Amino acid sequence: MARRGGPGGGKAAAKDKAAAKGAGAKAQGRRSGGRAEREPVSRPVGGGVAEFIPDRERPRGWTLLIDGAPQSHVDLDDPAHLSFAYQRRIGHVIDLAAPPSQPLHVLHLGGGAFTLARYTAATRPRSTQQIVELDAPLVQLVRDHLPLDPRARVRVRAADAREGLGKFPDGWADLIVADVFGGARTPAHLTSAEFLTEVRRVLKPAGRYAANLADGPPLAHLRGQVATAAAVFPELALAADPVVWRGRRFGNAVLLASALPLPVAEFTRRVATDPHPGRVEHGRALTDFTGGAAVVTDAAAEPSPAPPPSVFENP
């Protein structure tokens, strides 16, 4: 099931949640400009209770929460708008994966509200995309309330991410995006070198892999994930908020990996100029960051750490 971190973790996530809740409260029972305000939608899904909260600043914008934690934001009028920091960083990866507007073959492991698939379809028309999402009730809820553009070439499979990955042929994908969380933790079988070896098999020779990772002090999980990726891919970069890099709070990091050199300079520039600026490390600095962490194998794999309750509490 797809559970993902908030806009930037910590206070940023709490503020986004508070804004979403506030928007929902104001939407109930009011009328504006002669039209009824949109009301929140709530339904049990495989991963808990899913809610769509209307965005008061965007007429067709919605925030997806699961068990109260912000997961995704979608603007049906502007699918190229990415509200959450980690999704903007993956958006940069999509932008830099090929020349502008060139169609891509993209595999999304974890679907959420299909935000990144919508972004790809809007910015790279005629792309062929597949979403593998375990939570079938969530998929149906998204289809019902936030339908995909019928022109978008997006297919959704209800399956476990690794099981679904195994059904793709060698060299199918230009880009694989992993954003898979179960109970707010990345499942253990998606953290190993064996899993990443399968990712590399499905990628084209010049393909790229982007993963949303989450960790907090002392960043042992994140160090292990970088070391594991380095055992499979020769080229890596990692983007995160400075406070996450310094081990001061729990948050998201986006790992980028490839068999060929990455556009590190441009990726770094874009991440640094985001509304919530981040920092990118690569090369020797990223190797030093691992601190000799061991490569994770299936036999020893564990889920990512659970976020502390304070991550989504109002400050």
Side-chain angles (χ1 to χ4, degrees):
M1 62 193 74
R3 291 293 305 278
R4 43 205 49 78
K11 291 186 177 180
K15 289 178 181 177
D16 208 65
K17 177 184 174 184
K21 289 284 191 182
K26 291 183 179 182
Q28 298 183 54
R30 291 177 47 195
R31 305 185 70 86
S32 174
R35 294 185 304 169
E37 290 280 358
R38 297 167 298 157
E39 294 188 357
V41 174
S42 179
R43 185 182 299 174
V45 296
V49 176
E51 298 174 88
F52 283 122
I53 306 297
D55 182 339
R56 63 176 177 236
E57 296 180 356
R58 290 178 171 266
R60 299 185 71 205
W62 298 85
T63 298
L64 168 65
L65 287 73
I66 296 183
D67 287 344
Q71 307 294 306
S72 301
H73 179 278
V74 170
D75 185 346
L76 294 176
D77 286 334
D78 183 10
H81 173 76
L82 298 177
S83 179
F84 288 12
Y86 89 88
Q87 291 183 329
R88 284 195 299 273
R89 288 164 192 166
I90 297 177
H92 299 325
V93 174
I94 296 168
D95 292 343
L96 297 172
S101 299
Q102 179 175 310
L104 298 174
H105 279 67
V106 184
L107 171 58
H108 302 266
L109 302 178
F114 311 161
T115 303
L116 292 167
R118 297 173 200 269
Y119 178 87
T120 304
T123 60
R124 295 183 177 276
R126 304 183 308 284
S127 290
T128 299
Q129 301 188 79
Q130 301 253 1
I131 297 172
V132 179
E133 169 60 64
L134 181 61
D135 195 334
L138 176 61
V139 169
Q140 191 58 53
L141 179 64
V142 174
R143 286 189 183 279
D144 290 345
H145 293 278
L146 302 178
L148 286 163
D149 185 330
R151 296 168 295 179
R153 300 171 60 180
V154 180
R155 180 182 176 187
V156 185
R157 300 182 181 186
D160 171 77
R162 186 158 169 179
E163 176 186 340
L165 176 67
K167 295 181 179 179
F168 280 80
D170 295 0
W172 183 86
D174 295 295
L175 176 65
I176 295 177
V177 177
D179 189 13
V180 186
F181 286 75
R185 306 176 73 182
T186 303
H189 67 299
L190 304 181
T191 67
S192 68
E194 291 90 340
F195 164 68
L196 290 179
T197 298
E198 191 70 354
V199 166
R200 184 164 179 178
R201 177 190 67 77
V202 176
L203 285 173
K204 295 178 181 179
R208 294 170 186 169
Y209 171 67
N212 176 30
L213 307 175
D215 198 10
L219 301 180
H221 173 73
L222 194 55
R223 297 178 202 278
Q225 288 302 285
V226 173
T228 303
V232 178
F233 292 98
E235 302 289 337
L236 301 177
L238 187 69
D241 288 352
V243 290
V244 174
W245 276 115
R246 292 193 291 268
R248 292 185 177 178
R249 67 160 171 78
F250 195 98
N252 296 90
V254 170
L255 175 67
L256 179 58
S258 179
L260 299 181
L262 296 165
V264 173
E266 181 60 18
F267 183 55
T268 300
R269 185 190 69 79
R270 294 185 182 212
V271 170
T273 56
D274 273 339
H276 294 283
R279 194 177 93 217
V280 175
E281 293 289 4
H282 65 99
R284 179 59 184 270
L286 193 54
T287 301
D288 291 345
F289 168 75
T290 66
V295 173
V296 177
T297 64
D298 278 343
E302 297 182 355
S304 65
S310 60
V311 167
F312 298 115
E313 291 177 355
N314 293 333

